[in-house]
Amino acid sequence: MSEVFEGYERQYCELSVNLSRKCNSAALLADGEPKKQQISELKVGLDDADVLIRKMDLEARSLQPSLKATLLAKLREYKSDLNKLKKEVNKLTLTSANQVAHDLESGMMDPHAASANQRERLAMSTERLDQSSDRIRESRRIALETEELSVSILGDLHQQRETLLHSHNKLHGVDDAIDKSKKILTSMSRRISRNKWIMGSVIGALILAIIIILYFKLFHH
């Protein structure tokens, strides 16, 4: 997996968990400056999350097709998670304690309904927080598996390198043996040629001696 993508993914998961916690906390606050501050921080965090999503998308599309498909599928889950967060923040922005109080006074909403609504938002935020935590654990597991695979590949490559070096040394030894054999054969060839000249000279001398002997025997008797 791309180290760049993993870095963006880690940042996004941590940011998503933080935003889920803030969203959960803001849902329990009454209208006022603290809640407005929480909502403002949530919007800034959502903007940062959007930037990380775009960076992950660009990085994923620059990778090999097989890896790109896997990362884009994961990215779609992150986009869906981010959209849920945005909806929750929009709800927080639109909902106000004054409106709830007005509804209670007008009989449109009772305290039990308001409490149930808060519990529902709290449950949704908790579920989203659990999902983000699961994704972080899964990302860490994949990172560890990738690291183990990389170590294994490096070990295999080192072993193959040692094998190639050993083979190279053997070939170098064979080359030396061939060179020595060539020198021996060349020396033997030279000796054979020299011996041929010597043998030819001896035979020629013998023939000449025989001719001389025959000459003296035939012409001096």
Side-chain angles (χ1 to χ4, degrees):
M1 184 183 291
S2 167
E3 293 183 2
V4 176
F5 186 93
E6 286 181 354
Y8 292 149
E9 183 181 32
R10 192 179 305 109
Q11 292 179 47
Y12 172 79
C13 290
E14 292 174 356
L15 180 59
S16 177
V17 170
N18 187 35
L19 290 175
S20 296
R21 289 173 178 168
K22 283 188 176 181
C23 190
N24 181 27
S25 176
L28 300 177
L29 293 175
D31 272 355
E33 287 303 320
K35 187 172 184 178
K36 290 180 180 179
Q37 181 66 26
Q38 281 276 63
I39 292 174
S40 177
E41 291 176 0
L42 283 168
K43 290 180 178 180
V44 172
L46 290 175
D47 290 338
D48 293 339
D50 272 326
V51 172
L52 289 171
I53 288 288
R54 287 195 294 271
K55 288 181 177 180
M56 283 191 286
D57 186 74
L58 290 173
E59 178 64 20
R61 295 181 186 280
S62 67
L63 301 175
Q64 298 176 358
S66 58
L67 185 57
K68 178 172 68 175
T70 303
L71 296 182
L72 288 179
K74 182 183 291 188
L75 193 57
R76 283 193 291 271
E77 295 180 4
Y78 292 151
K79 289 180 180 179
S80 176
D81 175 74
L82 184 59
N83 287 331
K84 290 179 182 178
L85 276 172
K86 288 179 178 179
K87 289 179 181 179
E88 286 298 313
V89 173
N90 287 334
K91 286 181 182 180
L92 290 174
T93 304
L94 297 174
T95 303
S96 67
N98 290 333
Q99 183 63 41
V100 173
H102 175 73
D103 290 338
L104 288 173
E105 291 174 358
S106 61
M108 295 177 63
M109 181 182 296
D110 57 33
H112 296 291
S115 178
N117 188 28
Q118 287 184 346
R119 285 196 300 271
E120 181 181 356
R121 287 199 300 271
L122 179 61
M124 291 177 61
S125 299
T126 302
E127 181 182 359
R128 188 167 55 250
L129 184 62
D130 291 338
Q131 291 175 351
S132 298
S133 299
D134 290 340
R135 280 196 293 271
I136 290 176
R137 284 192 294 269
E138 180 66 15
S139 299
R140 288 177 178 173
R141 184 186 66 80
I142 293 174
L144 287 174
E145 290 180 354
T146 304
E147 183 178 357
E148 291 175 357
L149 180 61
S150 299
V151 170
S152 176
I153 291 173
L154 287 174
D156 291 340
L157 290 174
H158 179 71
Q159 185 176 2
Q160 292 176 7
R161 179 177 177 273
E162 293 295 329
T163 302
L164 289 173
L165 288 174
H166 184 64
S167 300
H168 177 73
N169 291 334
K170 282 187 175 180
L171 289 174
H172 185 68
V174 171
D175 288 340
D176 290 341
I178 291 174
D179 290 338
K180 289 180 181 178
S181 299
K182 286 181 178 178
K183 291 178 180 178
I184 292 172
L185 290 174
T186 302
S187 177
M188 290 176 64
S189 177
R190 289 175 180 173
R191 289 179 182 177
I192 291 172
S193 298
R194 187 168 59 250
N195 290 337
K196 284 182 179 180
W197 283 105
I198 294 171
M199 290 288 292
S201 299
V202 171
I203 292 172
L206 289 173
I207 293 173
L208 181 60
I210 293 170
I211 292 173
I212 292 171
I213 293 169
L214 290 174
Y215 174 78
F216 279 102
K217 283 185 178 182
L218 291 176
F219 295 100
H220 290 277
H221 290 286

